[in-house]
Amino acid sequence: MLRHLFKLIWNKKGTHSLLIIEVWAAFMVLFGVLTLIVFNLRNYLQPIGFQYDQVWNLELSSNQDTTEVAAKLQRAMQRVKSYSEVVAASRMSSNTPFSANQIGNSVGYNKVNVGGDFYYTDGELFKVLDLPLKKGRWYREADLAGKFVPLVINQKMEDKLFLNESGLNKVVKIDDKTSGKIVGIVDKFKAKGVYMSDNPALFYMFRKDDRWNSNILIKTRPGTDANFEARLVKDIAMMLPGWGVEVGYLKDSRKNRDNLTLVPVLIFLIVSGFLLTNVALGLFGVLNLNIAKRKGEIGLRRAMGATESGVTSQFLGEIWVLATFSLVVGLIFAVQFPLMNVFDLDREIYIIAILAAVAIIYIIVTLCAWFPSKQAAAIHPAVALHEE
Amino acid sequence: MIKLQNVEKVYRTSSIETLALNNINIDVKKGEFVSIMGPSGCGKSTLLNIIGLLDAPSKGQIEIDGSPVERYTDKHLAELRNRKLGFIFQSFHLINDLSVIDNVEIPLLYRNTSAKQRRELAQEALEKVGLSNRMKHFPKQLSGGQKQRVAIARAIVGKPEIILADEPTGNLDSAMGNEILGILQKLNTDGATIVMVTHDEAMAKKTDRLIRLFDGTQVS
């Protein structure tokens, strides 16, 4: 019977060509949207790697002030640490967690170069973000006395840079003049939000006299409120006249980052939802018309021995065959993505998206064909033959 | 082979009740060639649909090959139609998107017949009606007579014992009609029981027995 259905649809391919194209287009859009969803969902299911609930970002900007910037930053840091509401504080570069800023660079080891996000911090970051170590330890003041810059990397960076070796205590090249020594390895650090992938990351310890990295991450005690925020801003502004002082909550920054990811996904979902609805309505209409046009054939098949359920199965089978034609064409395009490693995504993401898109297309065509097929089966054979 | 007792068929709508067949009693013996005649609207096709198990009578009993079919399920009736009955229609009812041989194979699709066997049986049936050279053609490429021969091949491909023909020569000229009747007579000689509805008195006279209907009632 399957062969018969393939033959029937193949012989009518001209008539069905637009429908085949429509299902193909729906599959391609669905594949794109599902790839995006699977990618984000997989990222979401991965732990973010650090704590941010009670963490504030104090952003200091020296503006026109160029005198003793490093000393002023150190004083501000001391002041922040002195509050009883503060559990821990750490200075870091402007690419604080969930911020839109990014600092990218590459690091080399044994002719292997890996690009990643660089975070310039002091030795206190792990206390503020509760960053657990997998191996080694966090860098400390004493490490700055050594020949190499103390570094901590994440697992992703270790995997890419050292392949199957351990990266601990290895010396890596940062640029022509600078080399660093890896003293610790953290697990994950998804600094750009829960929906972002865990990119290779490197934490680079700067010296106390650094004047460029002016963000202070502050871990506050639970229950610390806006009164403290106002006091903090007022005190620091008084200490650093002419400087810009802003406080942001990492929790809020995370929400903003999440929205930046979710909004495009939502837009794609709405667009593909409209497209799929159109495809479904189109299929439904075409099938209804088909049944009206093929009453004689339905009567004939009943006369030749088809049961009611046989007629239903035939019409469902026809739509599945038609969908299969579209999906075969769609799959030729879709499999290029994992094969050619497009956008550097895991193959698994594409494969899951392909399988889900195929399943959804079959579900949609089945739902659309179910009612018309049942209608076809309900046509009385004597009436169908007479009408012809 | 076919036995109808006190068969009645009434069509009902909310306001009208139409008696299409009234007290029909027919007994067609195995190997008989029977024709049913009557004016338009007298219930010939309704009677043939009832004999062919495509429609159920409002009253009365039907036996096919000794088995009463009243309590048969849809599945049983479909199987009986497939195994025992072959249908030929005035308007051929060929599927235009399938080739001649694929059209002929249709009844075999509803049996557990392998693709190879289906092809062999369809070829054999087409040879019997003299169309083995048109197997790959499509219905639109055939004349009316050729289309009816394809329909006959489709009716006999499953080797049914009964052939039901609803005005098989109605859409053909007399020469073509005679040719089709000749094929039916040959099938009857080979053992098939045939019931044919016709308008054509001359055609009817060439069959073993004539049943006349008038206003849904059997008059002879």
Side-chain angles (χ1 to χ4, degrees):
Chain A
M1 187 50 112
L2 197 64
R3 197 168 154 176
H4 175 73
L5 292 179
F6 265 95
K7 208 176 279 180
L8 198 60
I9 297 295
W10 182 252
N11 290 344
K12 286 200 268 192
K13 59 186 178 298
T15 322
H16 288 140
S17 55
L18 284 175
L19 210 58
I20 291 172
I21 292 170
E22 205 178 359
V23 175
W24 167 79
F27 168 76
M28 292 310 292
V29 171
L30 203 55
F31 166 64
V33 174
L34 286 170
T35 302
L36 205 61
I37 291 172
V38 173
F39 171 73
N40 285 311
L41 190 68
R42 268 169 53 115
N43 287 339
Y44 179 78
L45 294 173
Q46 300 278 330
I48 196 162
F50 59 94
Q51 295 292 325
Y52 55 87
D53 278 352
Q54 300 292 326
V55 181
W56 299 2
N57 176 19
L58 176 65
E59 210 175 323
L60 302 175
S61 161
S62 59
N63 295 331
Q64 306 300 318
D65 186 2
T66 52
T67 54
E68 293 182 334
V69 173
K72 285 173 182 170
L73 282 170
Q74 280 179 48
R75 281 206 303 278
M77 185 70 180
Q78 288 306 319
R79 184 78 185 95
V80 169
K81 280 182 175 173
S82 68
Y83 292 108
S84 60
E85 288 88 346
V86 174
V87 177
S90 168
R91 264 177 68 197
M92 78 171 290
S93 42
S94 58
N95 55 344
T96 52
F98 312 122
S99 77
N101 301 329
Q102 204 162 3
I103 301 174
N105 210 336
S106 69
V107 58
Y109 176 77
N110 273 356
K111 293 181 183 170
V112 178
N113 268 290
V114 176
D117 291 313
F118 274 40
Y119 301 94
Y120 297 88
T121 77
D122 60 17
E124 303 291 304
L125 187 72
F126 73 101
K127 289 182 193 163
V128 176
L129 296 179
D130 289 331
L131 267 167
L133 280 158
K134 279 191 86 178
K135 281 185 251 179
R137 57 176 177 79
W138 270 94
Y139 37 60
R140 47 187 173 238
E141 290 293 317
D143 291 327
L144 290 169
K147 186 179 165 192
F148 305 111
V149 177
L151 305 172
V152 170
I153 59 172
N154 68 349
Q155 184 66 56
K156 195 72 172 251
M157 177 67 95
E158 186 189 34
D159 293 343
K160 287 203 165 188
L161 194 58
F162 302 102
L163 306 171
N164 296 323
E165 280 181 58
S166 167
L168 203 60
N169 297 320
K170 296 270 166 46
V171 174
V172 293
K173 191 177 169 188
I174 291 168
D175 56 43
D176 289 342
K177 293 175 188 166
T178 323
S179 291
K181 187 176 180 182
I182 292 157
V183 297
I185 291 157
V186 295
D187 188 9
K188 288 183 171 33
F189 189 65
K190 298 201 305 184
K192 296 302 170 199
V194 279
Y195 297 106
M196 295 295 160
S197 52
D198 179 34
N199 289 330
L202 182 144
F203 300 90
Y204 183 116
M205 188 177 190
F206 57 68
R207 295 183 176 277
K208 269 198 163 175
D209 57 0
D210 170 85
R211 54 171 294 180
W212 304 110
N213 300 297
S214 56
N215 282 67
I216 300 175
L217 292 184
I218 304 165
K219 184 173 186 177
T220 58
R221 293 196 191 283
T224 307
D225 56 16
N227 291 329
F228 172 65
E229 182 190 336
R231 189 150 55 96
L232 175 74
V233 172
K234 195 178 160 194
D235 290 353
I236 300 295
M238 278 175 70
M239 267 182 76
L240 303 170
W243 283 46
V245 181
E246 269 183 56
V247 173
Y249 303 147
L250 289 199
K251 225 156 66 169
D252 294 345
S253 307
R254 184 206 140 158
K255 272 183 200 158
N256 292 338
R257 290 298 303 187
D258 290 354
N259 288 341
L260 280 175
T261 309
L262 290 177
V263 167
V265 174
L266 207 66
I267 290 168
F268 279 127
L269 263 177
I270 291 167
V271 170
S272 66
F274 273 116
L275 186 72
L276 290 176
T277 309
N278 272 331
V279 169
L281 290 174
L283 276 175
F284 193 78
V286 168
L287 284 169
N288 261 330
L289 193 69
N290 243 339
I291 283 157
K293 278 166 71 180
R294 290 170 67 187
K295 276 190 176 173
E297 185 191 327
I298 293 163
L300 172 85
R301 287 184 186 272
R302 293 296 307 276
M304 301 286 129
T307 56
E308 273 190 35
S309 57
V311 172
T312 306
S313 310
Q314 189 208 321
F315 276 87
L316 283 175
E318 279 185 23
I319 200 72
W320 285 335
V321 169
L322 199 127
T324 305
F325 280 142
S326 307
L327 291 176
V328 166
V329 181
L331 284 172
I332 293 170
F333 286 91
V335 293
Q336 304 307 316
F337 284 77
L339 288 178
M340 297 174 83
N341 202 19
V342 181
F343 302 128
D344 200 23
L345 294 182
D346 274 359
R347 284 180 180 184
E348 209 178 293
I349 292 173
Y350 288 125
I351 291 164
I352 292 170
I354 287 172
L355 292 176
V358 167
I360 291 172
I361 290 288
Y362 275 122
I363 289 169
I364 288 173
V365 298
T366 305
L367 289 176
C368 292
W370 183 257
F371 181 68
S373 302
K374 278 284 178 197
Q375 268 189 320
I379 295 172
H380 202 284
V383 175
L385 287 165
H386 182 69
E387 278 187 18
E388 183 74 8
Chain B
M1 194 71 186
I2 305 165
K3 201 168 179 183
L4 275 70
Q5 284 181 302
N6 308 318
V7 165
E8 195 177 298
K9 181 70 185 176
V10 181
Y11 291 108
R12 288 187 181 89
T13 64
S14 53
S15 54
I16 305 167
E17 195 172 273
T18 311
L19 184 64
L21 291 174
N22 183 23
N23 194 30
I24 304 289
N25 290 284
I26 296 173
D27 190 356
V28 180
K29 303 285 180 219
K30 192 176 167 103
E32 241 188 323
F33 191 164
V34 177
S35 52
I36 301 170
M37 271 200 76
S40 287
C42 72
K44 303 184 298 286
S45 294
T46 305
L47 179 59
L48 201 70
N49 284 336
I50 286 174
I51 296 172
L53 311 175
L54 295 171
D55 206 351
S58 307
K59 263 189 200 168
Q61 288 86 44
I62 305 162
E63 280 179 26
I64 300 287
D65 202 13
S67 311
V69 298
E70 287 85 15
R71 291 188 181 174
Y72 274 26
T73 59
D74 177 53
K75 195 181 163 192
H76 271 114
L77 289 173
E79 198 179 330
L80 203 61
R81 282 197 295 270
N82 182 258
R83 300 267 172 192
K84 295 260 181 203
L85 308 174
F87 291 86
I88 301 164
F89 305 98
Q90 182 181 358
S91 53
F92 324 124
H93 280 301
L94 299 178
I95 298 172
N96 287 329
D97 298 305
L98 292 175
S99 66
V100 163
I101 193 149
D102 289 331
N103 265 288
V104 174
E105 278 185 16
I106 289 173
L108 305 175
L109 292 169
Y110 302 104
R111 297 181 188 183
N112 287 329
T113 313
S114 68
K116 191 179 167 226
Q117 208 181 345
R118 283 205 302 268
R119 189 99 326 193
E120 283 169 6
L121 287 168
Q123 279 172 359
E124 195 184 302
L126 282 167
E127 272 162 24
K128 274 190 188 167
V129 297
L131 272 182
S132 52
N133 57 338
R134 294 278 192 274
M135 285 190 297
K136 303 276 180 198
H137 284 61
F138 282 82
K140 280 184 180 166
Q141 299 167 308
L142 303 177
S143 68
Q146 286 171 328
K147 283 180 188 175
Q148 197 56 295
R149 281 196 274 162
V150 175
I152 294 173
R154 183 182 61 196
I156 61 170
V157 71
K159 304 191 191 317
E161 291 169 63
I162 301 164
I163 293 170
L164 304 175
D166 190 359
E167 304 208 30
T169 58
N171 276 357
L172 307 174
D173 60 38
S174 58
M176 219 43 108
N178 283 327
E179 199 179 305
I180 295 300
L181 188 69
I183 295 171
L184 292 176
Q185 283 172 323
K186 172 82 177 46
L187 292 170
N188 179 237
T189 313
D190 291 345
T193 305
I194 302 178
V195 178
M196 177 176 76
V197 164
T198 182
H199 263 116
D200 192 331
E201 187 87 40
M203 294 276 177
K205 280 180 179 165
K206 289 178 185 171
T207 63
D208 298 342
R209 187 152 61 97
L210 179 61
I211 296 166
R212 283 183 192 276
L213 293 183
F214 186 78
D215 275 353
T217 310
Q218 191 177 346
V219 290
S220 72

